[in-house]
Amino acid sequence: MTQSRVHVGGADPYDVVIGTGVLGELAGMLGQRVRTVAVVHAEGLPEIARPVCGALEQAGYDVHPIPVPDGEAAKETGVLAGLWSRFARLGMTRSDAVVGVGGGATTDLAGFAAASWLRGVRSVLVPTTLLGMVDAAVGGKTGINIPEGKNLVGAFHPPAGVLCELTTLITVPRQDYISGLAEVVKAGFIADPKILELVEDDPEGAARPDGPHTRELIERAVQVKADVVSSDLKEAGLREILNYGHTLAHAIEKAEDYRFRHGHAVAIGMVYAAELARLAGRLPQDVVDRHRSILTSVGLPTSYSGEAWPELRATMTIDKKSRGSTLRFVVLDALAEPGRLEGPDEDLLTAAYREVSR
């Protein structure tokens, strides 16, 4: 049993436990006041939800597994309303809790259900994908999608804890694992270049869950996010750097009706942001080239359809980082030196997209 902890500070501090055999931490995170626990899990993961429920039952909780659709199909208002109704039938009170088990979409949904039920109940998240571990489950952001855009409805609701059981990664499909790697690489570009070095030294190993540096890559990515959200939970300033590449990425996901993998979209979005910074005279060519080489080396895309630009540009207008009609992008001024680009000229936006078009 090997475990490490990353502490997330702030008004509601909690730990992210990373390793094997971490389910023993569940009861300690939920506490003694909790009686009823709703285990919200992706319906395709009964074999992973089962030991979670078992650990809770052994600790004496009244456990109720609730399956929800896999992937982004979980993050819909109808699914959320169904959870509320189930919580009501279970008689869940403010001293009860929600445990979310699954990928990023499942933990986003479970977290928002916990945030909105009785104005907020305790939650523990058990992410089972790389993307969930390094991004969605850490930081207290919860939310669902609506037809107009991704994550436009949600709340900041820090969990009582996050358990990253590394053995679950073995069951993740290869392309889904590689998708999650985009968020790891993002952490390297915005804050921790050692991540980039580890990927460059062994890209083939980085792209699989049993690689020699898997644990360190996850720990470093989680630490980057923890450092940021500890000082800025509600995205008042610093936390925006975690959205590097996400402005275009969310537009691509919407254009693809959320059937496009999040990490694949983020990879394209990062290259776009790098080209935007280069054309604005803020980032040297070699850092832009490094984006492409690292992302390509692990099997992530770096380009998208040129014909999609008008639709993508229209969607970016309602990005969460926008203020009024002013677009705001997270860009790099140098490696691990993120900044902001506000209200860029339309010609600059179009020229940067031309660099990622195919």
Side-chain angles (χ1 to χ4, degrees):
M1 213 188 300
T2 55
Q3 302 173 3
S4 58
R5 291 175 183 269
V6 175
H7 184 69
V8 183
D12 299 295
Y14 58 94
D15 286 341
V16 180
V17 183
I18 304 164
T20 58
V22 301
L23 294 183
E25 301 277 338
L26 256 175
M29 290 178 169
L30 288 173
Q32 296 180 348
R33 292 182 61 217
V34 173
R35 289 291 173 266
T36 299
V37 181
V39 179
V40 177
H41 67 90
E43 60 188 4
L45 296 175
E47 73 287 351
I48 293 177
R50 202 170 296 121
V52 173
C53 293
L56 291 167
E57 289 167 351
Q58 189 172 2
Y61 298 106
D62 181 20
V63 183
H64 298 271
I66 306 175
V68 295
D70 292 323
E72 292 293 321
K75 294 175 62 173
E76 296 184 356
T77 53
V79 178
L80 177 64
L83 288 180
W84 289 332
S85 294
R86 185 69 184 275
F87 294 170
R89 293 195 297 272
L90 291 174
M92 286 180 61
T93 69
R94 281 187 176 173
S95 60
D96 294 320
V98 175
V99 172
V101 184
T106 305
T107 57
D108 277 357
L109 170 71
F112 188 43
S116 52
W117 181 248
L118 301 179
R119 298 186 177 90
V121 297
R122 202 169 185 82
S123 67
V124 172
L125 304 178
V126 186
T128 59
T129 65
L130 181 58
L131 181 61
M133 290 180 185
V134 302
D135 184 40
V138 180
K141 270 188 179 181
T142 70
I144 60 169
N145 306 328
I146 59 175
E148 289 73 20
K150 185 173 181 177
N151 295 328
L152 292 178
V153 180
F156 291 99
H157 186 67
V162 178
L163 299 175
C164 299
E165 174 57 58
L166 298 183
T167 58
T168 64
L169 295 176
I170 302 299
T171 65
V172 176
R174 177 172 172 79
Q175 282 304 312
D176 289 341
Y177 188 84
I178 289 172
S179 174
L181 202 56
E183 292 286 355
V184 177
V185 171
K186 179 202 72 179
F189 276 114
I190 64 173
D192 183 1
K194 178 63 176 178
I195 289 174
L196 305 181
E197 295 171 14
L198 290 170
V199 175
E200 286 172 322
D201 286 347
D202 185 6
E204 194 275 331
R208 64 176 205 268
D210 62 344
H213 304 303
T214 296
R215 181 167 174 162
E216 183 177 358
L217 287 169
I218 292 172
E219 288 171 350
R220 285 182 173 276
V222 170
Q223 188 66 63
V224 167
K225 188 157 190 181
D227 289 344
V228 172
V229 302
S230 293
S231 58
D232 179 18
L233 172 65
K234 297 191 175 180
E235 211 166 73
L238 177 64
R239 184 166 180 161
E240 281 190 347
I241 69 171
L242 296 173
N243 285 319
Y244 184 56
H246 284 56
T247 300
L248 181 65
H250 284 163
I252 290 173
E253 288 179 283
K254 183 176 183 295
E256 296 279 352
D257 198 23
Y258 304 112
R259 291 189 294 266
F260 200 86
R261 289 181 176 86
H262 175 71
H264 287 53
V266 169
I268 299 165
M270 283 192 286
V271 177
Y272 176 72
E275 290 288 4
L276 198 58
R278 178 185 67 82
L279 292 171
R282 296 175 59 165
L283 190 66
Q285 181 69 54
D286 66 305
V287 182
V288 180
D289 294 341
R290 198 174 183 189
H291 278 70
R292 283 195 171 88
S293 64
I294 291 175
L295 293 168
T296 301
S297 73
V298 295
L300 284 162
T302 57
S303 61
Y304 193 67
S305 167
E307 297 177 357
W309 175 239
E311 179 185 356
L312 300 179
R313 175 63 188 89
T315 301
M316 287 194 295
T317 302
I318 59 170
D319 181 76
K320 295 188 300 297
K321 293 180 297 304
S322 298
R323 298 296 184 267
S325 60
T326 302
L327 267 181
R328 302 166 82 228
F329 287 86
V330 178
V331 294
L332 296 180
D333 291 314
L335 187 61
E337 291 185 18
R340 292 170 187 77
L341 178 61
E342 299 199 21
D345 184 82
E346 287 296 329
D347 289 342
L348 185 67
L349 292 171
T350 302
Y353 189 75
R354 199 173 296 125
E355 297 297 322
V356 301
S357 297
R358 54 170 163 73

